[in-house]
Amino acid sequence: MTATAEPTTSSAPPENVRSFPKPAFTDAEAGAKTFPSSTSRSYNYFTPAKKRATTYEDVTFDVQPDPARHLTQGWIYGFANGPGGYPQDWTVLRSSDWHQFRDPNEEWEQTIYRNNANIVRQTQQNLENAKAARAYDSWTRGWTTFVERDLGAWMHCENGLGMHVFTAAQRSAPTNMINNAMCVNAAHKLRFAQDLALFNLDISESGLPFDGSVHKAVWHEDPVWQGVRENAERLTAIGDWAQALFATNVVFESLVGVLFRSHLVMQVAARNGDYITPTIVGSGEHDYSRDLAYTRVLFSMLARDEEHGEANREVLQGWLAEWVPVSLHAAHQLQPIWSHPGERVVPFAESLAAATADLTNLLTELDLDVPKELSE
Amino acid sequence: MSRQSLSKAHKKITELSWEPTFATPATRFGTDYNFDKAPKKDPLKQILRSYFPMEEEKDNRVFGAMDGAIRGNMFRQVQERWMEWQKLFLSIIPFPEISAARAMPMAIDAVPNPEIHNGLAVQMIDEVRHSTIQMNLKRLYMNHYIDPAGFDMSEKAFANNYAGTIGRQFGEGFITGDAITAANIYLTVVAETAFTNTLFVAMPSEAAANGDYLLPTVFHSVQSDESRHISNGYSILLMALADEDNRVLLERDLRYAWWNNHCVVDAAIGTFIEYGTKDRRKDRDSYAEMWRRWIYDDYYRSYLIPLEKYGLKIPHDLVEEAWNRIWNKGYVHEVAQFFATGWPVNYWRIDPMTDEDFDWFEYKYPGWYNKYGKWWENYNRLKHPGRNKPIAFEDVDYQYPHRCWTCMVPCLIREDMVTEKVDGTWKTYCSETCAWTDIKAFRPEYEGRPTPNMGRLTGHREWETLHHDKDLAQVILDLGYVRDDGKTLIPQPHLDLDDPKKLWTLDDVRGINFQSPNVLLNEMSDADREAAVAAYTAGGPAGRPAPAPAA
């Protein structure tokens, strides 16, 4: 094979002469001249939610184009069996204007990195401090086993949802605003799962009797965790992105995620001599409160859509009927772990009642009927 | 984090995945590739605990530079010629970036390797960073550069403009069709590994030479993430190569992806670098020289060719032909001339070339003046309204080109145009490879093998079709490329903002009929079409119509 001839001009500067671009004063700054549009200094192709567009709106809106807005030539690549781009029928829910959705967290790169970097820095400092203070030595045996087995099992769930629910779903929604919110949700889940895994690694190396590998067997085989694993796996199998989001963030997280993190771990850790775990799990809870905020806004918008609200509520009601029993089953299967910690300060029934109350409130906010299973 | 603890931490987080037994993740996006026999290959070790602070630090540096640029009045020194092209570039690039984020679950679906999944998920977050940081850079330009028109309607213009659509392939191509074709070969193995070199390294250096040090700040920060992405792509490529049955698909996809990236990226970035700069030092690299270094040597010779020993069939002929188009067939010059011909339907202004530019082009590309000099002199002569129409509608020895159905860059190297009736329509292609891409590659069967997951070329692919037989003023109004006085055009074929009389308005372009070459071609009789095609392919360079046959 012979390559085509290379360029024939020489790039070598004359000897001993440095070559560099010459600065030129062009006076090309705003306001230097007045002419039509010389003061048109805001993106004018979308209507901000408030009077002025936020940075978040400016850097997110319409970056994913839409044939229903400005995309005149349509999607130029298609799938073998359907249109390309972001078809609206990748969910059965309908909206008269998907572009109304704004993420209340206003996530863009600065918020993503600031928030998550803060969390991992704080987590690392806490863990270093815990090691130096030999904080794990004061744990009860029962609590150590709980962290080893149950918190260890939970991190799989966070990772699985991050990778196969939220990462997957962010390909599919009709607007950039929705997809970015789900993408940040994925980042939260994956980071939290890794935080827990590295916490597990730290404890393994702390000298405490602690089996850092047993979490895999617990997640795979321990009967109390199989309901959660089944629920998580079934969530990853949902093809409709909005259903996956709803069944995960509204149903599963309320009945299982918050139940485990908030209404068990956060309540009993300190009583068992552990001040480290709540700082890590608390960050996961904080993530979820942000993720629930965008989820709530999205499904409120869809449930109250003037044109499609009624049909959407019917669909959501169907999803509740399908997923509430699955998550309740998972929650009930978890019940035995309430007795694993040495200090048991909260009964399962109380934790579950708090979780179902939260979900009931959320569903009421969404104008949805509360499934009968939640009041049983 | 030390290297040892990084390895240990990485090993730990690989424990997080598991083999599902109750239900498997939904497969939303199919592939015709097979990974059953693939040994698992590790990408770079990536841990979010170190990733987030690292990226935050990179961000802080970028935002610090942005503050500094404003305080230091950077815009007193930026070249308008350069900044105008950023209206096009920065309208396009955030979409490919966000598309890359969206492409990651497609690759995750297709490749059964949890370690790669982890790397791909981190890439997803990177890509959101890239998209929004670029949008934010554009916002800063809009706020501080002298002429915000075009920046202010950026994403709308991207979506309705012929050039935006060309760029949109570099984005839609990542997220549609066969998951591996799109998210691995097109996106990572070719676009990120080869062409981000010119996009994010060569072009920013030209920006700096034109007084803009923010573009390099942002894009070098972006580029610093690319090595991880390249590692993801490489790992998947090696896994694909493990199965003999994948090799014919790899060969197909590498040919398509290489050629399409060349057509699209070299058209755009070549034009920005060669025609958007005021830096005419003769010892600064031309785009051709940059291409030779960054694409030919760094990518083709150092990355691609070594993969031959693993059984990858390298498209040597297409690499050489891409170079041939750039060096011998004037690809970049033809594209720049076309952009300037079409100035009334752009959303940026294009500065005429000067004697100093001519001198530089002649030095870098011997013979340039004889081909393109006269036309650019005409461009300069016709730049103001009043006594003439826009150059596209004046007799300047230029035939408005047919558009390539596949890459959507016009068929500018006239002798290479291929014309075929495909799916019931007469279509024109810029090259044999683009014709092959539509006719052979993007089909449900390839070389006798079913390829049910391969994508399709869809949409209104010839932009002119949408505006055929309309008044040019109406076309521009429909596109929205009008300034806030309701009559002055956003695009101008010059940079003179001082004198309102020099600015083209809707009135200056009213009464001009806009036509689609493809519509006209399809309306012709077979004999007329054959003659028209023969005349077209006999034309050029520089868009010159073929001389009339001797009587």
Side-chain angles (χ1 to χ4, degrees), chain B residues 51-94:
Chain B
Y51 167 78
F52 282 118
M54 172 186 75
E55 297 293 327
E56 187 194 35
E57 171 62 22
K58 283 157 66 171
D59 269 4
N60 288 340
R61 294 178 190 193
V62 167
F63 284 92
M66 286 178 157
D67 285 350
I70 295 164
R71 287 196 208 104
N73 295 317
M74 183 187 86
F75 289 90
R76 288 183 190 171
Q77 295 168 61
V78 297
Q79 293 291 349
E80 287 184 58
R81 174 187 281 184
W82 176 261
M83 289 299 297
E84 288 299 318
W85 284 103
Q86 295 311 306
K87 292 176 180 174
L88 172 59
F89 176 62
L90 286 175
S91 74
I92 294 173
I93 196 71

Side-chain angles (χ1 to χ4, degrees), chain A residues 231-266:
Chain A
N231 196 161
E233 290 181 9
R234 287 181 59 182
L235 291 170
T236 69
I238 300 171
D240 180 313
W241 66 267
Q243 186 184 7
L245 178 64
F246 184 82
T248 305
N249 269 0
V250 174
V251 181
F252 175 82
E253 282 288 1
S254 297
L255 293 177
V256 182
V258 173
L259 175 78
F260 176 74
R261 293 187 304 255
S262 255
H263 298 304
L264 177 61
V265 178
M266 298 297 283

